[in-house]
Amino acid sequence: MKSPAPLPEQQSLATRAIHGKKLYAFRGPVAPPIVQTSTYRFADSGDAIRYAQGDPDVYVYTRYHNPTVTEAEEHLALMAGTEKALLFSSGMAAITSAILSVVKKGDEILSTPALYGGTYRFFRDILPRHGITVRYIRPDALGSIVSMATKRTKIIYCETPTNPTLGIVDIAELVFRTRQAAKKVHHRILTFADNTFATVRNQNPLALGADVLLESATKYLGGHTDVMAGVVAGTASFISGAHTQLKYYGGCADPFAAYLLLRSLKTFDLRVRCQNRNAMALSGFLEAHPRVKRVLYPGLVSHPGHQIARRQMTGAGGDGFGGMVTIEVPGGARGAAGVCDALRVAVNAMSLGGVETLVSIPLYSSHVNMSAAELARHGVTPGMIRISVGIEGIQDIEADFDQALSVAG
Ligand SMILES: *Cc1c(COP(=O)(O)O)cnc(C)c1O
């Protein structure tokens, strides 16, 4: 007798990313249709009545639901191994809507300090105007979550690996301390993890006990530098609350963006494996390079977070440390600009996670508009170059950095 096919949630990530739930006899297109519409024709007014009575299966308006977007969400939920995922127009739309579905005036968030610049500035400049405060916890002293938590604390927020220093936050430890804190203050505290740098291929915060997974799909999930989107994944009840925020703040994903994302997901596992491999090789190459002062990559034994990364990224086999590498070159910001300008394969551009290698100088990009004290807290120095390693031939990437470093030196 033939053994039955595994259930979708038992399949490998690559299979779930490619097929989603469509693993049954299904007559129709193999590629998903792009349902490029803002509204939907009702069969008759019975549909309108069913919608008014709360039936979630009636499509009424694309800001609420769209079949192409729903299909992408099903793929993403399966990949994250969770009940539901919600697709947004950008990573920031996902992050802000997810946060605002939990906190209200007077509440507080405790966060690890090294954050994506947009998230950090949202915490610094926007949330306080709504009476919501953010305090920072040291990633090397997560035990302090318990003493810092008060009855106002509603979210423990983290990002790992961090941008741009690739610092590692121990997610299991953060979850454990959050549960202790929740006992102390007698209410639920949710843990949020921005998983953009690692991706669900390399690290799954939900499997480590976190409540909410956030990812900018603009980066590795999209992977081709041509789509803006963001994902929130978690329980059905959490996603329902986040969906309410989405409807009012309006950060819905566009059907064409959802289509591009579905197309990208077919090669997601392949791409990220290649980026892991290339980044591992490039980081070793640059660490041995005489014109590089420092290399930050969680896969390197020299990296302060290496042991935790080995545990929580699927890098135990040596290939799950992600595609982001940060280096420091001599000569400060001018030295970094010289190297970036001399690169011929790698492209000098913001963003990350695409098939092409990109470089950026954090001082002028992700961490612009920050005081010296804030830069120090984020571990950013002027001579830093952040590299998003692509899937080009590794020998070409290495040769490019080799020539750029010698030209700039
Ligand atoms: C890019 C990024 C975001 C924001 O995503 P957008 O799609 O640009 O809105 C959030 N977190 C991290 C870690 C990012 O790299």
Side-chain angles (χ1 to χ4, degrees), residues 177-209:
R177 297 300 181 183
T178 302
R179 287 181 184 156
Q180 285 185 324
K183 267 199 195 120
K184 183 188 99 170
V185 299
H186 302 293
H187 67 76
R188 188 115 196 270
I189 303 175
L190 297 177
T191 46
F192 280 40
D194 181 336
N195 204 45
T196 300
F197 270 41
T199 80
V200 285
R201 162 64 180 75
N202 293 328
Q203 163 179 292
N204 190 341
L206 300 172
L208 295 165

Side-chain angles (χ1 to χ4, degrees), residues 89-95 115-119 157 159 161-163 194-197 214-219 227-230 351-352 386:
S89 55
S90 70
M92 283 309 294
I95 291 167
L115 296 170
Y116 174 69
T119 308
Y157 190 96
E159 186 177 316
T162 63
N163 180 25
D194 181 336
N195 204 45
T196 300
F197 270 41
L214 304 160
E215 236 170 86
S216 167
T218 311
K219 314 296 170 55
V227 60
M228 296 290 310
S351 198
L352 60 116
R386 190 188 77 179

